[in-house]
Amino acid sequence: GAVVSQHPSRVICKSGTSVKIECRSLDFQATTMFWYRQFPKQSLMLMATSNEGSKATYEQGVEKDKFLINHASLTLSTLTVTSAHPEDSSFYICSARGDRENTEAFFGQGTRLTVV
Amino acid sequence: AQTVTQSQPEMSVQEAETVTLSCTYDTSESDYYLFWYKQPPSRQMILVIRQEAYKQQNATENRFSVNFQKAAKSFSLKISDSQLGDAAMYFCAYMRDTGRRALTFGSGTRLQVQP
């Protein structure tokens, strides 16, 4: 299957700072990327959907000014958690889908964010 | 809105035995896809099996098979000849065939495999 690389795998940041998470499709063009959040022992909750070159679509309850998503190219989407707080600590996972892979989304390895 | 329900938070199976994980969903769509994903301790999401709603034949991938009952909106996963490496969280997921095609996940079932 196609490869999606997410970086970093782990990050610790101080309260009030911002942290950027990258999601790259390595061997296909990702026209659509999805960002999920997973709390411990819980399921994946969709945060937002991004299409290359357009603004992200956020799910209800997700603050778009806190979770900035950029999908500037067909191989890269970024999630920036701004002014991080301890309650933002979570596991964030991206997935990507191309035009030809429209029935399967490929997942990155995930990023464990800890805000101290 | 679509919902996916997994009523078994935990399941246990003996190595080499068979186990079935349950999943039900709710949708008003006629065209959609259903998936089972495995999430091991590494937390990498791994696609186990996929079912197109328009196909009556149940999907099979080696030791993994599904029982897809469209009218009942049920989509169970059967794991045959269970192996220690099958131990993981299993998520059932739904995807519409139109629009953003985002996945809606169930709450997950933790599968333990006893040696």
Side-chain angles (χ1 to χ4, degrees):
Chain A
V3 178
V4 174
S5 177
Q6 188 174 339
H7 178 81
S9 58
R10 292 175 180 266
V11 60
I12 300 173
C13 70
K14 293 184 177 180
S15 291
T17 63
S18 296
V19 61
K20 180 183 288 187
I21 302 169
E22 293 187 347
C23 181
R24 293 180 184 273
S25 56
L26 299 186
D27 51 4
F28 70 101
Q29 293 185 325
T31 50
T32 306
M33 287 189 171
F34 305 91
W35 287 94
Y36 295 87
R37 182 173 181 175
Q38 186 178 30
F39 289 104
K41 299 184 179 181
Q42 293 189 26
S43 187
L44 284 74
M45 301 300 295
L46 180 67
M47 298 175 66
T49 304
S50 71
N51 291 292
E52 184 265 338
S54 60
K55 289 185 178 180
T57 301
Y58 290 82
E59 295 300 298
Q60 191 173 9
V62 177
E63 299 176 62
K64 62 180 181 181
D65 293 331
K66 167 170 271 299
F67 299 101
L68 300 179
I69 292 172
N70 183 279
H71 191 166
S73 77
L74 284 171
T75 59
L76 174 65
S77 177
T78 60
L79 167 67
T80 302
V81 183
T82 63
S83 186
H85 289 136
E87 56 264 32
D88 298 326
S89 299
S90 190
F91 192 70
Y92 294 88
I93 310 176
C94 72
S95 71
R97 175 179 292 122
D99 282 337
R100 288 187 295 176
E101 297 82 12
N102 63 3
T103 61
E104 182 175 354
F106 301 95
F107 284 85
Q109 306 96 316
T111 298
R112 177 174 298 283
L113 169 64
T114 303
V115 184
V116 298
Chain B
Q2 294 80 24
T3 58
V4 179
T5 302
Q6 293 179 249
S7 59
Q8 305 156 317
E10 290 192 13
M11 292 284 283
S12 183
V13 63
Q14 291 290 127
E15 198 174 4
E17 296 295 309
T18 296
V19 65
T20 298
L21 308 184
S22 300
C23 173
T24 59
Y25 59 95
D26 187 25
T27 183
S28 58
E29 305 285 334
S30 58
D31 294 324
Y32 51 88
Y33 296 84
L34 296 165
F35 304 84
W36 278 98
Y37 280 90
K38 172 184 178 181
Q39 188 180 43
S42 69
R43 304 191 79 168
Q44 173 73 55
M45 296 293 285
I46 302 168
L47 178 64
V48 174
I49 201 165
R50 169 178 52 217
Q51 175 78 45
E52 293 89 340
Y54 65 85
K55 289 186 177 179
Q56 292 185 337
Q57 186 173 7
N58 290 323
T60 299
E61 289 286 343
N62 300 315
R63 298 183 295 108
F64 300 88
S65 62
V66 298
N67 183 0
F68 173 47
Q69 301 290 327
K70 190 172 184 179
K73 296 180 181 175
S74 170
F75 182 61
S76 61
L77 173 69
K78 185 172 80 171
I79 305 174
S80 304
D81 186 24
S82 297
Q83 301 175 359
L84 294 177
D86 294 334
M89 280 291 291
Y90 285 82
F91 292 99
C92 178
Y94 166 99
M95 184 185 80
R96 291 174 60 186
D97 193 26
T98 57
R100 294 177 295 149
R101 294 193 173 94
L103 291 165
T104 300
F105 289 91
S107 55
T109 297
R110 179 170 300 282
L111 178 65
Q112 296 181 328
V113 181
Q114 307 297 332

